Amino acid sequence: FALGAAGVLGNYIPSNKLLSAALVCLAFTSFLKSTVTTPHAFAACQVLHAIFQSAGWPTCIKLIGTFVTENRGFIMGIWTTCQSLGGILGAVWATMAMGRYGWTWAYVYHIPIQLALSVVCYLYIVDDPNPAPAHSSKPADLGALEAASASAAIVERR
């Protein structure tokens, strides 16, 4: 986790970019694992895959901590259940793909899913639920400006 989102990178790279890049790299390493022919190359791909995978959990926990202010235990319970269910379904799908098409498809079938999710993460994840307003030449508080003008007009009439 020290190299991933829990380390320095997670503090400086926006969550949408970090998760998207990690998912694209995971898709790439999955493809590499399906093409290698030696155990050493497979092990190297697996290590790279694990490093990119380490960006997922801390970044998601950072986002949950930012957006969820109440009932965090309940949300984390649902999150953990989904993680366990995903692991079971992933193993079933990989086994089915491997049985029908060969062992390489256990690594290839989920690449389109990872790439599609990387686009979704990039487009829709924000780090702050209340982003700062964009810089504008107009005053931020028009109500206060109108009240000040009305006060000035009253003073001028007197």
Side-chain angles (χ1 to χ4, degrees):
F1 289 132
L3 296 175
V8 177
L9 291 178
N11 294 328
Y12 295 105
I13 299 174
S15 298
N16 66 334
K17 292 180 182 177
L18 186 61
L19 277 176
S20 296
L23 283 167
V24 168
C25 291
L26 285 169
F28 179 69
T29 56
S30 291
F31 174 75
L32 286 179
K33 285 192 290 186
S34 72
T35 61
V36 297
T37 56
T38 65
H40 296 294
F42 187 83
C45 289
Q46 190 68 14
V47 167
L48 279 175
H49 195 83
I51 289 171
F52 296 132
Q53 224 174 15
S54 73
W57 178 257
T59 305
C60 292
I61 296 303
K62 173 183 153 186
L63 291 169
I64 286 175
T66 302
F67 286 93
V68 178
T69 57
E70 297 178 10
N71 298 324
R72 283 190 184 161
F74 176 72
I75 299 298
M76 290 305 296
I78 292 173
W79 184 271
T80 305
T81 302
C82 291
Q83 181 184 9
S84 299
L85 184 62
I88 293 168
L89 291 177
V92 168
W93 289 338
T95 304
M96 287 174 34
M98 189 172 59
R100 288 187 181 168
Y101 306 112
W103 72 271
T104 58
W105 281 92
Y107 297 104
V108 174
Y109 80 94
H110 61 274
I111 291 174
I113 298 168
Q114 289 173 328
L115 293 174
L117 286 176
S118 72
V119 172
V120 169
C121 287
Y122 186 79
L123 294 176
Y124 295 107
I125 289 180
V126 293
D127 281 334
D128 186 8
N130 301 316
H135 180 61
S136 173
S137 60
K138 296 180 182 178
D141 188 5
L142 293 176
L145 183 61
E146 290 172 358
S149 329
S151 298
I154 292 172
V155 171
E156 286 179 12
R157 288 184 198 155
R158 290 184 184 176

